[in-house]
């Protein structure tokens, strides 16, 4: 797909789909609650549909209304109907991690598997933590497929590493209220993506469960239960909004994104702070945010360990800056849908941009002459979406395999085109 540049300053209003992170957490928690919960503005994408279909395979009543962006979940109070199931989750990381923990509450044998890339994505830290709690399960070579021999979750004390993915800790926290005894969790490393754990705790509170914690190092969860909610609204996806916040930084003008505010549960809203450092003007209200680009775009030196999913968006803006940009703290991005650090550097070089690759990130230098190229996406939705931004200003940018955006944002290119 070739991206056509926009020659005039932007003046657009857009709305992006519901948050993948919130949709998948709400699906799991609503399935644990005892009763019916209706999720509104839910995300319908490859990742969320894999999650919903896995729950249906396990015997849950999940009604999907894509036209109205609604999912209605009938929870069973911590019970899993199926005694045996083989679940396939594609390359959906949240589905793989959250369901692996969720299945320990069942009574039977389950296998959870994914595509070839999922079979390269680590899950052993979660396996080890669940094993310490008395669960019998195993993964091959530190990655899916995961085989679970479930007899309920006994509880007790466990330790877990947080430097590969915060999803491991989030998975434990959400199922812990349904253990047979209290669970104490000690995080043994620096925790990546801390805002995602804050999001997990916030949505648990929305459904009526409180936990005790000492920062990001220690958590205690007592046996409890989630309460069903007649309606639960999913915020627009803050990761997805980053592309539309970034567009005026590249093209000039103003873009308003609706159904999002700085009070969002999603940590990726902090992307706006980086845009401000780069020189953009931010206008906030309770239900929309506007970003206006300015004539001079400054390079930045930023640690993005808490918001790694927006690092590629900053990388796409960086060549248009007046000084170099250094992105730090995203070593965990190497084990995502692809090695995002190496892939981003490779494709920027393809465009004629000078880049230095580091273990934990990259340094990107200003570039006055972006070369025409076909961007390889590595079947990674974030690569396709981020690099399409460069095509809004530079000629001759083509995105290979644009359909990979279906993972989280099936209509991305339609919304991008609406900026015109």
């Amino acid at each position: 797909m070739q991206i056509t540049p926009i020659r005039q300053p932007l003046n657009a209003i857009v709305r992006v789909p519901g948050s993948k992170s919130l949709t998948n957490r709400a699906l799991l928690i609503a399935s644990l609650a005892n009763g019916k919960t209706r999720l509104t503005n839910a995300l319908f994408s490859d990742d969320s549909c894999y999650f919903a279909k896995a729950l249906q395979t396990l015997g849950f009543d999940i009604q999907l209304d894509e036209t109205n962006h609604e999912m209605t979940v009938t929870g069973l109070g911590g019970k899993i109907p199926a005694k045996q199931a083989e679940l396939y989750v594609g390359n959906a990381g949240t589905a793989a991690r959250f369901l692996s923990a969720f299945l320990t509450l069942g009574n039977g044998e389950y296998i959870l598997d994914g595509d070839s890339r999922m079979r390269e994505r680590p899950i052993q830290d979660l396996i080890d933590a669940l094993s310490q709690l008395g669960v019998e399960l195993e993964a091959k070579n530190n990655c899916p497929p995961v085989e679970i021999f479930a007899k309920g979750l006994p509880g007790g004390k466990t330790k877990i590493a947080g430097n590969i993915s915060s999803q491991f800790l989030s998975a434990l926290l959400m199922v812990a209220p349904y253990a047979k005894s209290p669970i104490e969790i000690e995080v043994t490393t620096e925790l990546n993506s801390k805002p995602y754990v804050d999001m997990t705790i916030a949505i648990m509170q929305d459904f009526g469960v409180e936990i005790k914690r000492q920062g990001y190092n220690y958590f205690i969860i007592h046996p409890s239960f989630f309460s069903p909610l007649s309606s639960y609204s999913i915020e627009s996806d803050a990761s997805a909004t980053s592309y539309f916040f970034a567009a005026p930084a590249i093209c000039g003008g103003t873009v308003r994104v609706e159904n999002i505010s700085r009070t969002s549960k999603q940590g990726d809203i902090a992307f706006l702070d980086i845009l401000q450092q780069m020189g953009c003007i931010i206008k906030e209200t309770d239900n929309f945010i506007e970003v206006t680009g300015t004539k001079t775009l400054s390079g930045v030196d930023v640690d993005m360990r808490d918001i790694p999913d927006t690092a590629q968006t900053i990388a796409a803006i960086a060549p248009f800056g007046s000084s170099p940009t250094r992105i730090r703290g995203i070593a965990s991005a190497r084990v995502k849908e692809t090695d995002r650090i190496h892939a981003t550097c490779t494709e920027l070089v393809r465009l004629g941009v000078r880049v230095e690759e580091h273990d934990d990130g990259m340094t990107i230098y200003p570039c006055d002459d972006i070369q025409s190229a076909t961007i390889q996406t590595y079947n990674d939705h974030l690569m396709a979406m981020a690099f399409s931004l460069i095509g809004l200003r530079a000629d001759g940018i083509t995105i290979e395999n644009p359909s990979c955006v279906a993972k989280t944002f099936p209509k991305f290119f339609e919304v991008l085109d609406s900026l015109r």
Side-chain angles (χ1 to χ4, degrees), residues 38-188:
R38 182 168 61 98
L39 307 179
T40 61
N41 196 43
L43 175 66
F44 282 79
S45 71
D46 288 353
D47 275 20
S48 56
C49 289
Y50 276 130
F51 203 122
K53 287 172 183 174
L55 291 168
Q56 288 173 330
T57 300
L58 291 170
F60 288 91
D61 180 8
I62 314 285
Q63 301 296 321
L64 303 177
D65 181 355
E66 186 168 359
T67 302
N68 294 309
H69 311 290
E70 290 185 359
M71 300 179 177
T72 303
V73 182
T74 302
L76 297 173
K79 295 180 174 63
I80 296 177
K83 304 298 183 189
Q84 191 170 8
E86 294 187 15
L87 306 178
Y88 180 82
V89 297
N91 193 15
T94 51
R97 280 79 180 258
F98 294 175
L99 286 167
S100 291
F102 179 72
L103 289 167
T104 66
L105 302 176
N107 185 12
E109 296 183 15
Y110 310 98
I111 296 174
L112 186 145
D113 202 359
D115 64 13
S116 57
R117 178 58 181 172
M118 179 55 73
R119 288 184 166 195
E120 298 172 346
R121 297 180 67 181
I123 199 168
Q124 193 63 44
D125 289 337
L126 178 59
I127 301 299
D128 291 344
L130 289 166
S131 296
Q132 293 168 50
L133 294 171
V135 177
E136 185 183 352
L137 74 171
E138 61 184 17
K140 294 183 179 179
N141 302 316
N142 183 28
C143 302
V146 180
E147 193 166 5
I148 298 133
F149 307 93
K151 297 176 183 176
L153 182 58
K157 295 183 179 181
T158 190
K159 296 181 179 181
I160 192 165
N163 58 331
I164 299 294
S165 175
S166 66
Q167 291 172 5
F168 303 149
L169 176 58
S170 286
L172 273 182
L173 290 171
M174 286 188 288
V175 302
Y178 291 86
K180 296 169 185 174
S181 62
I183 286 182
E184 299 179 32
I185 305 168
E186 179 185 344
V187 181
T188 58

Side-chain angles (χ1 to χ4, degrees), residues 64 77 90 137 150 156 164 195 201 227 282 316 320 336-337 340 353 380:
L64 303 177
L137 74 171
I164 299 294
I201 293 169
S227 299
I282 314 294
F320 303 105
K336 298 280 190 175
E337 280 77 350
R340 287 178 171 165
V353 179
D380 183 349

